[in-house]
């Protein structure tokens, strides 16, 4: 779906499909260099990170393994509760593996803070984070992400996997939602 398909529900487009693709290509080259000669396991957090995972994994010019985990910290709300629950756990054992968490967005950082300590307890050889978006002004905990696509203002965004009440995930761009949609 394109921004014009839901124009009245969006305030403005923040990042176009082409801008996202270009940035992921640059990040993919960095990941290839950083993990040269080492195995790599990408872990995406469902559902928001599906588009980043699909595009980043295909951009990589090497073989990787992928696995998915679902955690929940949001209802149909626009603010993080900080309460995280595993909805679907990983299939792959992380012991001795080089793990890269692929995330859609670091907002408060509470979800990734929890996820990072959960995954570290499974003894991976290394654990890093790749997040497409980060809202620096929303941070409640400091998350050390090795790869960040874009820093964005502290506004609620949708598209490219990100939802509001499960909608707009299939929008090709990333856009600021019009306040009338959630107020
Ligand atoms: P946290 O606040 O960093 O814990 O973010 C938790 C999750 O909330 C993210 O992984 C997203 O799925 C979701 N989220 C945070 N900010 C936004 C947003 O602006 N739009 C849509 N989802 C968001
Ligand atoms: Mg998410």
């Amino acid at each position: 779906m394109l921004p014009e398909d839901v124009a009245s529900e969006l305030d403005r487009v923040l990042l176009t499909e082409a801008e996202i693709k270009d940035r992921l290509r640059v990040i993919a080259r960095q990941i290839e260099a950083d993990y040269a000669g080492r195995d790599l396991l990408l872990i995406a957090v469902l559902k928001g990170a599906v588009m980043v995972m699909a595009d980043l994994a295909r951009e990589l010019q090497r073989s990787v393994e992928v696995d998915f985990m679902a955690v929940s910290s949001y209802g149909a709300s626009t603010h993080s509760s900080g309460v995280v629950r595993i909805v679907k756990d990983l299939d792959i054992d992380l012991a001795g593996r080089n793990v890269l968490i692929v995330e859609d967005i670091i907002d408060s950082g509470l979800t990734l803070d929890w996820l990072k300590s959960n995954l570290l307890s499974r003894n991976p050889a290394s654990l890093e984070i790749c997040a497409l978006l980060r809202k620096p002004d929303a941070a409640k905990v400091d998350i050390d992400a090795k790869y960040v696509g874009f820093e964005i203002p502290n506004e609620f965004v949708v598209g490219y996997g990100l939802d509001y009440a499960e909608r707009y995930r299939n929008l090709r761009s990333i856009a600021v939602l019009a306040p009338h949609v959630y107020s």
Side-chain angles (χ1 to χ4, degrees), residues 13-37:
V13 171
L14 215 55
L15 297 164
T16 64
E17 193 179 3
E19 288 171 325
I20 297 166
K21 191 174 175 49
D22 286 350
R23 186 71 184 112
L24 286 180
R25 187 177 299 123
V26 171
I27 290 175
R29 298 296 87 79
Q30 293 170 349
I31 292 172
E32 287 158 9
D34 292 347
Y35 290 90

Side-chain angles (χ1 to χ4, degrees), residues 138-160:
K140 287 185 184 154
V141 287
D142 186 39
I143 296 294
D144 184 20
K146 188 160 190 180
Y147 312 96
V148 175
F150 304 91
E151 302 214 320
I152 63 167
N154 193 6
E155 294 177 278
F156 196 78
V157 294
V158 294
Y160 201 74

Side-chain angles (χ1 to χ4, degrees), residues 163-178:
D163 73 307
Y164 171 66
E166 296 299 329
R167 295 173 58 211
Y168 310 104
R169 290 193 198 274
N170 60 321
L171 179 64
R172 288 174 176 265
S173 318
I174 290 172
V176 176
L177 195 60

Side-chain angles (χ1 to χ4, degrees), residues 45-49 71 73 103-105 111 161-163 169:
V45 181
L46 295 170
K47 304 173 196 172
V71 305
S73 69
E103 252 290 33
D104 48 2
I105 189 167
T111 305
L162 289 155
D163 73 307
R169 290 193 198 274

